[in-house]
Amino acid sequence: MLVTLSAVALFGILTFALLRGRIVGPLAALAVFLFGFFTADTGAADAIHATLRAIAEAAQLGA
């Protein structure tokens, strides 16, 4: 029987384990997560980019 596991699930489990073991902090994990999405060629990257851009623009207007 062949068992496959997607890279997204594998890295998600690894990130959860690293956060749970306090090997990395939440901000470092968030930075790596966002880096992965911005460099990936997926449909989710565009949505995340648009959301972060909107947040950044809203923060500039509020400052």
Side-chain angles (χ1 to χ4, degrees):
M1 182 167 107
L2 181 64
V3 177
T4 61
L5 185 65
S6 76
V8 173
L10 182 64
F11 284 121
I13 292 168
L14 177 62
T15 302
F16 177 78
L18 291 173
L19 283 168
R20 181 107 170 130
R22 297 186 187 259
I23 296 171
V24 296
L27 290 178
L30 179 63
V32 171
F33 174 78
L34 292 175
F35 176 76
F37 266 104
F38 285 127
T39 57
D41 189 21
T42 65
D46 294 333
I48 291 174
H49 189 159
T51 302
L52 290 176
R53 177 177 284 178
I55 291 170
E57 289 174 359
Q60 279 185 331
L61 293 176

